[in-house]
Amino acid sequence: MIYRFEQFALDAGKVELRKDGEAVAIEPQVFALLLLLIENRERMVSKDEVIEKVWDGRIVSDSAIASRIKSARRALDDSGAGQRLIRTVHGQGFRFVGEVRLEPVQPAARAAATPMAAEAGHATPDVQLSGEANADLGRQGTTVKPSIAVLPFRWLGDADGYAGIADALPHDLISALARLRWLFVIARGSSFRFRGVDPDIAGLGRLLGVRYGLTGMVEMFGTRITIGVELADTRDGGVLWGDRFTASLDDIHEIRSRIVASIVAALELQIPLNEARLARLATPDSLDAWSSYHLGLQHLLRFARDDNAAAARLFERAIRQDPGFSRAYAGLSSAHFQNAFLKYTGDTAAEILKAKDTAAQAIQLDPMDPFSNFAMGRTFWLEGDLDASRGWLDRATSISPNYAQGIYARAWTDTLSGHGHEGSANAEVAMSLSPLDPFLYAMLGTRALACMIEGDEAKAAEWAEKAARSPGAHVLIAMIAVVAHSLNGDTAAAASWAENARSRRTDVTSDHFFQAFPFRDETIRQRIAEALRMHDF
């Protein structure tokens, strides 16, 4: 995409600033700052957002920010006194105030897009966007990431005082989704050009160059407000997921963040599921790195020895196809983690080392990816180092606050550290964010362990039963059910789950259990060990 203002052109695809057609010398960091301000020109960009987007969240001084702003103004023949194009909002942030015109990278894109929109019978905004340009921006190495456009929601109602929520929610969603390193999100300045347009979703995909579109509608009924959202695949226009949220008008601004968190968590699940479905339809030889990665995830989450081996092969293939694909390394780390956690191989120490090495490679390639930090954090579980694990997991959830699996992992770490109340609370948050998560069995199991620590055996048995019966629950979850029912005095249920565990793994022992669950509290360890001994583990 090219942004034109005055005699300047900012070419996002070429990473180039031009004045009257001639390239202007500009540092990459200053270019990134200019692009951030121009893409968000309809609002002020805070200093914190500048640090997050331009410096990747690293700690920088106010003078460093001021220096980059000064360089940006100098490149645009602007100044701190004149502030013709870049305006400082004292003590808060900056805003680009110039008049901007958008145009596609390739003129042919406009000619191709305009007839399509006209044939579809929909109004066409005054700008046509290049799909090829957006696809290029959505690349990681040679891997094209999934991309999404969040459109302004439609408002149905008469209360003008609340109509702003139809813009506020998608704006919040764009900001939250932008934290997901695996997803390319079209900037608000582009997707909001479609305000008032009711586009054919497949046509929108071609215009914006995105695979997914998120649309919404806000309705008001008396003192209640209802928000409906739909995720569609722009390749065929099919709806992949939808949900509705209802709240009191008086509470809407308080629960806005919860609605956004729920939608983001759902997209983190639904988009990868669709990517894997599409990959399964392709021939093996035609799989690209991203398709190989998503098929690998599906095998990984089945928690079976053969599936885990298949997952590792697919992650390795993705890495061969794109050596810069950080998430493929994080996936491979998770496969080695599972080998060690469930003792699929005879050399646990080697698997721990491989898990840590591949997680380190993932973080080196993309330190701001929550999945990579999550993968590294879990490797320390294998060594019983819960304190080191906690730091990485906290980083994962600080990067992406709605990352349900990261919140669950922190709950697990809290629980094994003896903080049952905190573990239970975090597990509850994770489940509310992602009620259909592949790790739901683990979230439920964490609730069970937390209740054991808190001394509530009845609740522990209830949660453990739910965990062991959930899809994907592995043999160690069945052992949690053995312990929970035994501590609750239900020997028949405990014996039944013990038989289930042995039918799945004849070699599983209490040593396996405690290596996987390194409880710090010696009292709880002894109680669990006694319950397992009663059932010959």
Side-chain angles (χ1 to χ4, degrees):
M1 192 180 305
I2 296 175
Y3 300 90
R4 294 194 180 276
F5 50 96
E6 296 185 351
Q7 69 270 46
F8 295 95
L10 192 80
D11 191 327
K14 292 183 178 180
V15 193
E16 185 176 79
L17 175 68
R18 295 187 292 271
K19 178 182 178 183
D20 296 326
E22 296 293 325
V24 177
I26 187 172
E27 297 175 7
Q29 206 169 51
V30 177
F31 181 91
L33 174 60
L34 264 179
L35 183 60
L36 174 66
L37 295 177
I38 290 173
E39 284 184 335
N40 296 278
R41 59 196 176 279
E42 78 287 346
R43 64 181 178 90
M44 182 199 75
V45 178
S46 70
K47 286 185 178 181
D48 288 343
E49 187 175 353
V50 168
I51 292 170
E52 179 185 346
K53 299 292 178 59
V54 177
W55 277 273
D56 286 332
R58 298 190 300 274
I59 297 173
V60 296
S61 64
D62 285 348
S63 61
I65 299 173
S67 172
R68 300 303 186 276
I69 290 289
K70 183 177 180 181
S71 297
R73 283 181 172 140
R74 186 184 303 119
L76 302 179
D77 301 327
D78 197 0
S79 68
Q83 299 193 13
R84 185 182 82 261
L85 294 172
I86 299 175
R87 184 168 299 164
T88 298
V89 182
H90 185 66
Q92 298 183 58
F94 310 93
R95 185 176 177 188
F96 190 89
V97 294
E99 184 70 26
V100 177
R101 306 180 307 281
L102 285 77
E103 66 179 50
V105 172
Q106 297 182 2
R110 182 188 302 273
T114 304
M116 178 278 300
E119 289 171 9
H122 299 296
T124 304
D126 60 357
V127 59
Q128 303 297 333
L129 307 177
S130 167
E132 292 181 10
N134 287 334
D136 287 340
L137 287 172
R139 291 182 183 274
Q140 175 176 342
T142 60
T143 301
V144 180
K145 299 186 286 186
S147 48
I148 189 170
V150 181
L151 300 188
F153 289 2
R154 295 177 61 194
W155 169 260
L156 300 177
D158 298 325
D160 292 338
Y162 291 94
I165 197 72
D167 275 2
L169 277 170
H171 172 75
D172 291 348
L173 282 166
I174 289 171
S175 297
L177 290 170
R179 290 174 174 264
L180 305 181
R181 306 288 277 188
W182 58 269
L183 183 65
F184 177 68
V185 186
I186 293 292
R188 182 178 187 269
S190 297
S191 60
F192 272 42
R193 302 282 293 191
F194 291 82
R195 180 188 307 283
V197 178
D198 186 17
D200 155 57
I201 203 71
L204 176 72
R206 290 192 291 272
L207 284 170
L208 289 176
V210 293
R211 298 187 193 178
Y212 299 95
L214 186 75
T215 58
M217 182 170 58
V218 182
E219 302 176 84
M220 197 185 78
F221 301 98
T223 60
R224 306 290 292 175
I225 193 166
T226 298
I227 297 137
V229 290
E230 285 187 350
L231 173 71
D233 187 328
T234 63
R235 286 161 284 198
D236 57 15
V239 176
L240 301 173
W241 168 83
D243 206 347
R244 290 175 70 84
F245 306 88
T246 302
S248 165
L249 282 174
D250 293 337
D251 298 333
I252 186 60
H253 294 295
E254 293 181 14
I255 70 167
R256 194 167 111 189
S257 61
R258 276 190 281 161
I259 293 173
V260 170
S262 296
I263 294 172
V264 171
L267 298 190
E268 283 207 82
L269 177 63
Q270 297 297 332
I271 292 177
L273 282 175
N274 192 56
E275 291 291 308
R277 179 185 66 81
L278 294 170
R280 287 197 304 271
L281 299 176
T283 59
D285 291 341
S286 68
L287 292 177
D288 62 10
W290 190 254
S291 298
S292 297
Y293 165 76
H294 273 295
L295 281 181
L297 277 185
Q298 283 216 323
H299 283 286
L300 181 78
L301 296 172
R302 289 172 183 162
F303 292 95
R305 189 193 306 265
D306 291 344
D307 276 296
N308 197 58
R313 290 192 295 271
L314 285 161
F315 293 138
E316 288 167 350
R317 173 181 173 144
I319 291 168
R320 288 195 300 272
Q321 291 173 309
D322 184 357
F325 190 6
S326 63
R327 285 216 153 197
Y329 284 99
L332 186 56
S333 173
S334 297
H336 289 303
F337 169 86
Q338 194 173 136
N339 280 338
F341 190 77
L342 294 176
K343 297 195 176 298
Y344 288 153
T345 69
D347 194 344
T348 299
E351 294 296 338
I352 293 173
L353 184 60
K354 290 176 183 176
K356 192 158 296 209
D357 284 348
T358 45
Q361 287 175 285
I363 290 170
Q364 184 176 16
L365 287 167
D366 189 352
M368 297 298 288
D369 177 38
F371 180 37
S372 299
N373 286 272
F374 165 82
M376 177 61 86
R378 290 202 306 167
T379 65
F380 289 94
W381 292 357
L382 301 170
E383 301 169 331
D385 191 347
L386 300 178
D387 290 332
S389 173
R390 186 178 290 107
W392 288 102
L393 298 176
D394 282 347
R395 179 173 167 80
T397 53
S398 67
I399 292 169
S400 181
N402 304 318
Y403 185 34
Q405 292 178 9
I407 295 170
Y408 137 70
R410 177 57 197 265
W412 191 94
T413 305
D414 286 337
T415 299
L416 295 187
S417 299
H419 306 298
H421 180 73
E422 291 88 340
S424 185
N426 278 326
E428 181 65 29
V429 171
M431 288 189 290
S432 66
L433 282 173
S434 188
L436 299 177
D437 201 275
F439 280 100
L440 180 62
Y441 72 87
M443 298 173 188
L444 294 165
T446 298
R447 290 295 302 268
L449 293 175
C451 289
M452 286 184 206
I453 291 174
E454 295 292 298
D456 191 341
E457 286 83 4
K459 280 291 184 184
E462 180 182 334
W463 288 112
E465 186 74 17
K466 291 178 181 179
R469 293 186 180 278
S470 294
H474 50 71
V475 66
L476 295 178
I477 303 299
M479 293 181 75
I480 291 177
V482 172
V483 174
H485 283 300
S486 180
L487 294 177
N488 195 41
D490 191 342
T491 55
S496 176
W497 281 113
E499 183 180 352
N500 175 281
R502 274 190 284 270
S503 70
R504 296 159 71 179
R505 287 282 299 270
T506 57
D507 61 340
V508 70
T509 67
S510 60
D511 286 343
H512 291 165
F513 186 88
F514 286 115
Q515 286 171 8
F517 302 107
F519 287 94
R520 279 187 175 171
D521 189 304
E522 189 58 35
T523 301
I524 191 66
R525 282 178 65 95
Q526 289 177 1
R527 292 179 65 211
I528 291 172
E530 180 57 32
L532 291 172
R533 273 195 297 271
M534 288 174 58
H535 295 278
D536 300 322
F537 287 109

